[in-house]
Amino acid sequence: MQFSQIEFLIFFAFVFVAVWSTRKLAFRNGLLLVASYYFYAYWDYRFCGLLLLSTFVDFSVAKKIDAAEQRATRLRWLWVSVSVNLGVLGTFKYFNFFIDSLSPLLESVGWGTQTLSVILPVGISFYTFQTLSYTIDVYRGKLQPTEKLLNFALYVAFFPQLVAGPIVRARELLPQLASVPCWSTRRCYGGFQLFLIGAVKKLLMADRLGEMVDVVFAGPETYAGTTVWLAAFAYAGQIYYDFSGYTDMAIGAAKMLGYRFPKNFRHPYLATSFADFWHRWHMTLSRWLRDYLYISLGGNRGPRWITYRNLMLTMVLGGLWHGAAWTFVLWGAIHGFALCVERALRGRASLIIPSVAKWWITMTVVLFAWVIFRSPDIVTCQSTLYQMIGLPPGIHWHPPLVLGVLTCMVFEHLAWRTQLRRAMRLRADAWYSPIVTVVLVWSLVLYSPLGFKPFVYFQF
Amino acid sequence: MKKRLFCNWVLGVLVGTFLIAITSPLFVRSYSALQIDPVRNVPVHLRGEHYRWRSEGYATTRIGVMGMPGGPMIIPETSSENEMRVALWGDSQAEGVCVADSNKLHRQLERMAQQAGLRLTVFPMARSGDDLNDWLYQIPRVDSKLDIDVQLLLIAELSDLAGPVSGKPSDLDLPANRNSIAKSYPAFLIEAIRRIVRHPDDTPRSLRFGLGPVTSIMPPTESIRVGVKSDWKSVAKSIEAATNKQVIIVYAPNIPVGFLVGEGKTEVDHSVLALKNELTASGIGFIDARGPLRRSAAANRWPHGFHNGQFGVGHLNAVGYEVIAKNVVQLFEQSDNRVARIAD
């Protein structure tokens, strides 16, 4: 079930009325848990077992870690959690990728290889990271394990963030699940507005851009360089509006139910450095990678080359987290390398670059990295980059709608930097809010592309 | 305070809806009433109506007499000596509502014919969704009334010609409530409701609340690469039986990207060849417009619009009609049938 489906709106309406009709915490959480499992099973009931496995293992392991006196024992239990979670993730997401990648080598030494016939359970990358953060936080003593299995199960499976984040940490959500939230019309209105804005981003902007992106990236060699450039810009817009739209809808839905999720995006295309970009793009993933991977690897403690190694490893694994393909690895490596270069140049007084130039450099690299990210394989990636750099002749196709949406994107980013930022929140008592709200709702119904288009990040 | 807020929202809803209502003609197609035409005996748009299309093309079509999109408002009683009258049949690809009237196929045919020294009057009879049975039903009715010399059929999908021949059109009656809805409600409201209650392919929307996984059941659609097996001989015979005038069939399918980068012989090629052989054996003219359309696309003159931004699903645009018109006029020039030349 996707947030942009009519079925979800009906489902959510039922859940909304039901949870606000009860004041009993256990009943409310139980109701949300059932709704969350239904939400997941709507896609495929067979993978609910994985959610249950992850829930039971991490709930039990966290208690074991907390109860253990010795550090070695605690560490052993942590490894159990890490092994189970990453084992499941590895089996479903990476096994076939590694087998495919290693098969020439293995077959050359006489080992036959065989891939698994499995499909990727939706949201597995997200809930695996969530449950891992729980056990790691308990191990680090930053969090007391919860005694209530129901609350923990709901934390893992809570439907607004289950399939594509934001990656909410246990210490952010578990305390909220320990009591019944108070009804707030203001908060509910805020949640509705966020949900609406998210839907507009997804259906009116991302999906419109995606129509061109899908066609051009399916055969970039057919198109003229300018068309491929336009498609690259369109993809940058598509992935941002698709994912941030989803996140807005998730945060909005949770807010309407009385829960607060962390922000995930802060206009990343305004970033003037790569570090800044990662403080604005998929913020819950970047802080997860920072806190649980980069710092665990040693962070910036130690010699410079150790810091660079850690940065590269973190970003390459971050790339691999997105998908089991070499294009994602390359994408992560480019960002890792850019972060290393940036760190190496930081503080050099002789190197004073104007902000506009910094922004331009950052965005150019980000754009080329998106081309790699979007390409289904390295060969397509090469032809796309060749068309962009070599500008050979081909079909010229510059759809006005795509140009229009990209113009809107530029204005939206510029407006966010001005006083209009407050107005864009559509306060309930502002005179223009009802007009804008109604126009947006009508536009969603009338002008969204026909046909069902899944969220891009569902594949990760 | 609450009362003021409430009033503000009620007013806002009204103003917002008003804004959508006044701007919607720019973006939303029109829903117009239909009537049964006494000659053709099928539902057609009302004469003098303006029909908006707002998808791959932004055009407003003036409906002519007998529901002809962009056609004449009155029919000249008899054809003059030097005039050749052509009835253009087809589905939405030939109807051309996404193209301005001056660029519709019938107008381009007339213009090009004039440049070639021919005097042609083309009556656009195509209706969205029509196929062989609709054409066979209407052709005899129109033949004598309009004094037609040539029946020109434009097909984008072979399945539209494949039959089976039943002799009955797809719609003989006016759709229930259609006219009252079209007359009573604004187009944006009809479009909004239609989008909510129907799937993009116009089938009723069904909601699913059962658990997954769901094996997706795709409706059977004609693939551009898959041929159509049909008894082309009986198709040719049924066309012959419907009219004693000359018939020309133009095959102008959508051009997907794959065709541009070059492909080997497909099943479609075999189907088209079989059709062509049967038609020519029966004295029916056949124009395969795939080559000219493909060459036009390769030269960056794309012959189709991009319906929802997609290749291969848009209607023919002005360029496409120009390509087709050129080929049809060339055939008229070459043929030694009753083609009248403008007297010097």
Side-chain angles (χ1 to χ4, degrees), chain A residues 68-234:
Chain A
E69 301 262 319
Q70 291 181 332
R71 194 170 178 273
T73 317
R74 291 161 63 87
L75 189 62
R76 229 181 354 256
W77 279 113
L78 178 66
W79 274 111
V80 171
S81 165
V82 171
S83 308
V84 170
N85 282 300
L86 294 186
V88 170
L89 188 63
T91 308
F92 283 91
K93 191 164 180 175
Y94 300 110
F95 183 82
N96 288 348
F97 167 66
F98 284 118
I99 287 294
D100 280 340
S101 301
L102 291 173
S103 61
L105 187 72
L106 294 173
E107 279 163 12
S108 69
V109 292
W111 287 7
T113 57
Q114 200 174 0
T115 52
L116 294 176
S117 176
V118 289
I119 53 168
L120 180 68
V122 68
I124 190 169
S125 310
F126 288 90
Y127 67 73
T128 301
F129 270 30
Q130 289 209 165
T131 50
L132 271 178
S133 79
Y134 173 70
T135 45
I136 296 171
D137 277 353
V138 171
Y139 170 77
R140 286 176 177 173
K142 289 182 176 174
L143 182 70
Q144 277 296 308
T146 178
E147 290 299 315
K148 293 186 174 161
L149 178 62
L150 173 65
N151 289 10
F152 182 70
L154 180 56
Y155 157 67
V156 177
F158 191 34
F159 70 86
Q161 43 92 54
L162 176 58
V163 289
I167 301 168
V168 186
R169 292 181 190 189
R171 59 173 185 262
E172 287 167 335
L173 189 55
L174 276 176
Q176 296 185 63
L177 299 176
S179 59
V180 176
C182 296
W183 167 261
S184 158
T185 311
R186 189 190 172 93
R187 185 170 53 196
C188 191
Y189 171 79
F192 166 75
Q193 285 295 357
L194 256 180
F195 193 89
L196 179 65
I197 297 290
V200 169
K201 284 181 178 177
K202 161 70 180 160
L203 295 169
L204 294 183
M205 301 186 82
D207 285 356
R208 283 291 178 199
L209 294 171
E211 284 169 343
M212 183 202 189
V213 172
D214 291 347
V215 173
V216 174
F217 275 83
E221 61 284 345
T222 318
Y223 301 94
T226 50
T227 300
V228 180
W229 270 100
L230 184 62
F233 283 117

Side-chain angles (χ1 to χ4, degrees), chain B residues 37 39-41 66 87 89 123 125 137-148 151 245:
Chain B
D37 181 71
V39 177
R40 300 168 71 175
N41 203 28
M66 294 169 70
W89 303 96
F123 298 104
M125 295 289 169
Y137 180 78
Q138 294 173 74
I139 283 173
R141 292 162 200 274
V142 168
D143 245 354
S144 55
K145 174 79 182 171
L146 299 182
D147 196 12
I148 297 295
Q151 305 286 354
K245 306 291 166 55

Side-chain angles (χ1 to χ4, degrees), chain A residues 202-281:
Chain A
K202 161 70 180 160
L203 295 169
L204 294 183
M205 301 186 82
D207 285 356
R208 283 291 178 199
L209 294 171
E211 284 169 343
M212 183 202 189
V213 172
D214 291 347
V215 173
V216 174
F217 275 83
E221 61 284 345
T222 318
Y223 301 94
T226 50
T227 300
V228 180
W229 270 100
L230 184 62
F233 283 117
Y235 183 64
Q238 184 199 3
I239 193 158
Y240 168 61
Y241 282 121
D242 189 284
F243 194 22
S244 80
Y246 176 86
T247 307
D248 285 351
M249 291 169 96
I251 297 173
K255 205 169 175 179
M256 280 190 269
L257 295 172
Y259 304 100
R260 195 183 167 87
F261 282 176
K263 282 188 80 165
N264 218 13
F265 290 92
R266 216 161 39 89
H267 287 76
Y269 297 140
L270 293 174
T272 51
S273 69
F274 292 94
D276 189 19
F277 179 79
W278 283 101
H279 281 121
R280 292 165 177 270
W281 177 270

Side-chain angles (χ1 to χ4, degrees), chain B residues 136-181:
Chain B
L136 293 181
Y137 180 78
Q138 294 173 74
I139 283 173
R141 292 162 200 274
V142 168
D143 245 354
S144 55
K145 174 79 182 171
L146 299 182
D147 196 12
I148 297 295
D149 300 305
V150 177
Q151 305 286 354
L152 180 67
L153 275 68
L154 175 69
I155 56 163
E157 291 178 12
L158 288 178
S159 57
D160 284 344
L161 203 63
V165 181
S166 65
K168 283 187 177 174
S170 50
D171 53 344
L172 269 172
D173 303 314
L174 288 174
N177 300 331
R178 184 193 157 114
N179 281 2
S180 58
I181 291 171

